[in-house]
Amino acid sequence: MEENEQQENIDSKYLILEKIGSGGQANVFRVVKIGTNEEYAAKVFKYDNDSITNEINMLQEVKQYQCPYIINIIDAGKGEVVRKNRKTKKRQYFIIEKEKNGCIIDHLLYKQSGLGELYSKVIFQKILIGFQCLHKHNICHRDIKL
């Protein structure tokens, strides 16, 4: 048995380092690509349905617009997800760029001083530019959370 088969992985292409989030439809993991050690985030869906396929297709379409304020999708598919002490299952997933500055919620929760007015304005402006790019191409996000 190869080393990467013994470790938690996605489709034998990405090693799972840690779980960084969870929701009703999916789990999110910090992963590295086998062979290159490039770090990404992976969204692995718990169930198969048409809305997941639509989400993956939409992300791949958005990639072509190359907006600097929209995270790019790196890879997507349906493959074997190997987890320790769990049955190996075929799951839909997509791999996205890992934001180098972390999630905005981390800044809000862990910085005692908060974001500050100027930094908040800059972040908000970048979010609006990202949405402007989506709307320009007739794409509606539909899953925005505070």
Side-chain angles (χ1 to χ4, degrees), residues 17-46:
L17 302 178
E18 66 178 324
K19 186 176 184 178
I20 56 176
S22 182
Q25 289 193 32
N27 293 312
V28 180
F29 300 95
R30 188 168 62 93
V31 299
V32 293
K33 187 170 185 175
I34 296 170
T36 66
N37 287 332
E38 293 172 282
E39 196 170 310
Y40 300 109
K43 186 171 184 177
V44 178
F45 293 91
K46 297 175 183 177

Side-chain angles (χ1 to χ4, degrees), residues 23-27 42-61 73 75-79 81 90-96 141-143:
Q25 289 193 32
N27 293 312
K43 186 171 184 177
V44 178
F45 293 91
K46 297 175 183 177
Y47 314 101
D48 284 346
N49 66 44
D50 290 339
S51 67
I52 294 167
T53 303
N54 291 340
E55 183 175 354
I56 290 171
N57 291 340
M58 185 61 65
L59 284 168
Q60 289 175 322
E61 183 182 329
I73 186 168
D75 191 6
K78 184 172 184 174
V81 177
K90 237 180 178 12
R91 294 280 188 236
Q92 286 181 292
Y93 67 89
F94 60 81
I95 308 296
I96 59 172
H141 190 288
R142 297 186 339 145
D143 190 24

Side-chain angles (χ1 to χ4, degrees), residues 6 9 18 23 33 35 72 80 85-86 88 107 136 143:
Q6 296 172 353
N9 71 77
E18 66 178 324
K33 187 170 185 175
N72 285 319
E80 298 285 326
N85 304 321
R86 294 196 174 103
T88 298
H107 292 277
K136 179 178 161 187
D143 190 24

